[in-house]
Amino acid sequence: MSFPWAEHYTPKHPVMQWVDEKLPLPRLVYNAIGAGYPVPRNLNYFWNFGVLAGVALVIQIVTGVIMAMHYGANDLVAFGTVEQTMRDVNAGWLMRYAHANGASFFFIVVYLHIFRGLYFGSYKAPREMVWLLGLVIFLLMMATAFMGYVLPWGQMSYWGAKVITGLFGAIPVVGEPIQTWLLGGFAPGNASLNRFFSLHFLLPFVIAGVIILHIWALHIPGSSNPTGVEVKGPQDTVPFHPYYTAKDGFGVGVFLLLFAIMLFFAPNYLGHPDNYIEANPLSTPAHIVPEWYFWPFYAILRAFTVDFFFVPAKLLGVLAMFASILLLFFLPWLDTSPVRSGHYRPTFKAFFWLLMFDVLILGYCGGAPAEEPYVMISQVAAAYYFAHFLIILPLIARFEKPLPLPGSITESVLAKYAKADGETAAVPAE
């Protein structure tokens, strides 16, 4: 989308004029992330996480390509090549830790990006396609992360692959053939490593392609904002550059600082110690868990412990786990409230924070042993998760009385600063 008041790209140097005529790439960048792209003037730091996700993806691709140069996708040498990279390759330890912790930081950023979208109603019309493409990126990330977790060929890698691919075996009739096809055999082995390595290397570039579509879809209706009120005129916007490039630059600096602290002072904090033991099909770990960013979904999977008539509990768990993600694709049509932002929806805001607490509970239970009371707690939390989206959210949209919306973005900004000035002026009187 280009507002009528958007600045136009006018190259002045003869070389840039020639480039713009033959290949208008500078014009594309100028209109996408430069002064030619007006954005709402009230975006806060929660709108930084899209850029931070892009930075995290670049880190993953660069470190992943370097790691791939030293990796052997063979069950006899995979564990050894990873350890050799850590010990014998110049800065190999840095690449390994940056890649492993980069995945965690990537998911942290994306989860915050999703929660921001949930709170501020960024999934509502006219931005449904932006939301849907974002969820596609999330699914691709999960697939990429799972296959990457298998590659070090430690104990948790092997048994994680066996457990997760075993979920497909719960599907009636076709489940076991699908599981065998995924693994290239009846258990994780050399064929599994080869295909997982190939797909793990390929999918980040697919993610990058979908991100381009995601940004393209965003530029058609324009960015949302904390008020949820659409842009009404040039007074509601500022050019993306230099205002938000500077703001994003600050966010990137904070992100890299936190990433460096984790990388140099606690590189193994988010990992599992069993993965430093080479895979042994004859020795099952006492407690098999996926990476922390899968824990909420793992808790939903394990919440089903009893068969329902002819449907096995394992199949119910698999269906619920996938449904917990697919449910988000229907969110634009489940929440029918005309008000987008949670700032103006008091009932929605209360239940939103309850949902966040529920997800944290699921995450804790997913990382805990499959025993009581964690199983019972995960059952209650999983039930609420589905009830929130399928029952509570539609009812809130129907019966909630939202607060009055500002007339425009500018009105809300001026009211905010007028309030701040009034509080400042009131200090001497006290």
Side-chain angles (χ1 to χ4, degrees):
M1 178 190 67
S2 179
F3 292 113
W5 57 88
E7 296 184 26
H8 297 285
Y9 179 68
T10 53
K12 297 179 180 179
H13 196 279
V15 174
M16 295 307 297
Q17 291 175 353
W18 181 83
V19 171
D20 184 59
E21 180 183 351
K22 304 300 179 183
L23 183 66
L25 185 60
R27 180 181 297 273
L28 176 64
V29 174
Y30 185 89
N31 292 334
I33 57 173
Y37 177 45
V39 290
R41 62 186 296 178
N42 63 335
L43 301 187
N44 56 37
Y45 281 106
F46 281 109
W47 267 258
N48 281 44
F49 289 101
V51 171
L52 297 183
V55 172
L57 177 62
V58 171
I59 292 173
Q60 291 304 94
I61 290 177
V62 171
T63 56
V65 168
I66 295 172
M67 288 288 295
M69 295 175 183
H70 304 279
Y71 180 74
N74 185 292
D75 59 349
L76 300 177
V77 300
F79 185 83
T81 56
V82 173
E83 294 302 306
Q84 183 188 33
T85 301
M86 291 279 291
R87 289 167 170 78
D88 297 337
V89 175
N90 290 333
W93 64 271
L94 180 63
M95 293 298 104
R96 167 80 190 286
Y97 284 148
H99 196 66
N101 288 285
S104 290
F105 272 71
F106 197 1
F107 272 95
I108 290 172
V109 167
V110 168
Y111 278 132
L112 290 172
H113 195 50
I114 291 173
F115 294 152
R116 187 270 291 172
L118 288 173
Y119 182 80
F120 290 106
S122 300
Y123 51 84
K124 290 178 175 289
R127 298 176 182 85
E128 303 99 316
M129 186 56 66
V130 183
W131 175 257
L132 298 178
L133 287 170
L135 292 176
V136 171
I137 294 170
F138 181 53
L139 289 174
L140 290 171
M141 283 176 57
M142 296 179 76
T144 307
F146 161 66
M147 287 182 283
Y149 193 51
V150 176
L151 299 184
W153 208 238
Q155 273 287 76
M156 216 38 74
S157 298
Y158 177 89
W159 290 100
K162 192 170 181 65
V163 169
I164 298 302
T165 56
L167 300 179
F168 293 93
I171 302 174
V173 184
V174 298
E176 290 188 7
I178 291 176
Q179 181 184 357
T180 304
W181 175 74
L182 287 172
L183 291 174
F186 296 103
N190 194 47
S192 312
L193 271 180
N194 272 283
R195 58 193 59 190
F196 283 9
F197 174 64
S198 299
L199 290 172
H200 182 69
F201 194 93
L202 171 67
L203 284 180
F205 298 98
V206 177
I207 292 173
V210 182
I211 286 175
I212 292 173
L213 296 178
H214 184 63
I215 297 172
W216 188 2
L218 172 65
H219 278 62
I220 294 172
S223 297
S224 60
N225 66 87
T227 64
V229 178
E230 291 295 336
V231 170
K232 291 181 172 60
Q235 71 278 3
D236 290 339
T237 65
V238 294
F240 188 85
H241 176 78
Y243 296 98
Y244 287 116
T245 49
K247 197 168 188 175
D248 286 336
F250 175 77
V252 170
V254 174
F255 171 82
L256 292 178
L257 178 63
L258 296 175
F259 184 55
I261 292 172
M262 175 65 74
L263 191 59
F264 295 120
F265 295 100
N268 292 304
Y269 184 78
L270 296 175
H272 198 288
D274 281 4
N275 230 29
Y276 281 100
I277 304 172
E278 189 170 3
N280 182 1
L282 302 180
S283 176
T284 307
H287 179 35
I288 301 173
V289 291
E291 286 281 61
W292 68 268
Y293 36 78
F294 292 140
W295 285 356
F297 308 105
Y298 194 54
I300 292 174
L301 169 71
R302 297 191 314 189
F304 292 82
T305 57
V306 180
D307 296 348
F308 183 74
F309 292 106
F310 58 88
V311 183
K314 183 178 180 181
L315 178 58
L316 289 172
V318 172
L319 293 175
M321 182 184 68
F322 285 112
S324 65
I325 304 172
L326 296 177
L327 184 63
L328 299 176
F329 281 88
F330 299 94
L331 192 54
W333 298 278
L334 290 172
D335 183 5
T336 57
S337 173
V339 179
R340 295 187 181 92
S341 176
H343 283 333
Y344 303 95
R345 303 179 63 188
T347 307
F348 170 86
K349 183 192 297 187
F351 279 98
F352 170 83
W353 290 115
L354 186 58
L355 175 67
M356 295 302 99
F357 180 71
D358 183 70
V359 172
L360 291 175
I361 292 295
L362 283 172
Y364 180 78
C365 292
E371 58 188 34
E372 297 298 347
Y374 304 113
V375 174
M376 182 186 67
I377 295 173
S378 63
Q379 289 171 341
V380 175
Y384 177 79
Y385 179 89
F386 287 100
H388 177 89
F389 290 107
L390 296 175
I391 301 174
I392 297 173
L393 198 58
L395 289 176
I396 291 174
R398 183 176 178 86
F399 296 107
E400 180 184 43
K401 185 177 180 180
L403 301 176
L405 291 173
S408 67
I409 294 173
T410 302
E411 181 182 316
S412 69
V413 172
L414 294 178
K416 176 182 176 182
Y417 282 104
K419 180 181 178 182
D421 290 341
E423 291 175 352
T424 305
V427 172
E430 295 176 356

